[in-house]
Amino acid sequence: MEPTFTIVCITLALFVAGCGGQQAKSKEICKRDNGFFPHEEYCDYYYECVDGAAYLQECPNGLAFAGNRKGLLDHCDYPHKVKCPDPDGKRIMGQPARGSEPCPYLFGINPHEKSCTRYWLCWNGTGTVQMCPFSLLYNEHEHACDWPDKVPGCQQHPLCQGTPNGLKAIEGSCVRYWQCMGGYPRLQRCPAGLAFQQESQRCDWNGNVPGCEVSPAPEEEEEEQKKPARRQSNRREEEVTLN
């Protein structure tokens, strides 16, 4: 047998064996001829089966395979929403970080480095600061805004010590006050004609807040003094007309 013919036969045999192995793997992966199926080791990879053949696909950096349901992008979603890593640790994220701070992964939700009430929403490598609703703090473990008592270790501003969520009067001011949200103060102002009352924790009429009663302006006082004289003059004119 010629050497060249022998080499060709061996190559064909290896090719056939490889094809057979690939077909066997596709049958193992593809539970159906067409569909999407998880990778055996990594959450951020998955297989797309077309006519029984399995093709390896990759989720956007930072996202994980969400199954056949619609995810954030195609069939991929945030890892915490698809419970990755899984409880037994068999499947983990496999892609390296491809972004930069504050978005090491191109897609994700990350805590803010200086604020407990804010967090970063990363989309294709661009981070946008998001604000938690009133009185909530960002919980890194839940990847969501949560009640302050469930977010231990969050530093509070000195103005809000002892009152992480509430209102505090400002000394020397009747209309301005601090609104503490998650341990951080925000300056607020009462509407015109109202003053802040610490006891009731709300803006009230000036006359109901001791020390914040508004005295009439000098022009208003003069106008009030003239009103009785005008009324008396009008009565006299009416009497003359009637007589």
Side-chain angles (χ1 to χ4, degrees), residues 70-212:
K70 182 70 174 178
L72 182 69
L73 283 176
D74 295 329
H75 295 279
C76 300
D77 211 329
Y78 295 121
H80 65 273
K81 287 191 174 183
V82 299
K83 297 181 180 179
C84 180
D86 56 16
D88 53 10
K90 291 182 178 180
R91 297 178 68 245
I92 59 175
M93 299 291 284
Q95 297 180 34
R98 297 173 183 170
S100 58
E101 294 297 337
C103 300
Y105 289 86
L106 300 184
F107 293 86
I109 304 175
N110 302 322
H112 195 278
E113 61 277 10
K114 295 182 179 180
S115 174
C116 291
T117 60
R118 301 177 184 182
Y119 60 95
W120 290 102
L121 180 63
C122 297
W123 187 269
N124 200 25
T126 300
T128 305
V129 175
Q130 304 292 318
M131 179 74 71
C132 285
F134 173 73
S135 77
L136 300 184
L137 303 179
Y138 179 72
N139 189 327
E140 183 177 357
H141 300 290
E142 298 295 332
H143 302 277
C145 296
D146 208 344
W147 297 110
D149 60 336
K150 295 184 179 180
V151 189
C154 188
Q155 183 180 2
Q156 293 184 3
H157 192 280
L159 286 171
C160 297
Q161 288 291 342
T163 312
N165 297 286
L167 308 178
K168 300 188 72 172
I170 297 178
E171 186 177 356
S173 176
C174 288
V175 297
R176 296 181 182 273
Y177 60 95
W178 293 112
Q179 181 182 28
C180 291
M181 299 174 61
Y184 288 84
R186 296 179 182 178
L187 187 61
Q188 304 290 346
R189 183 185 180 92
C190 289
L194 303 182
F196 180 71
Q197 189 177 68
Q198 182 66 45
E199 291 75 15
S200 62
Q201 290 278 290
R202 64 186 180 90
C203 294
D204 202 348
W205 295 110
N206 294 327
N208 296 335
V209 183
C212 292

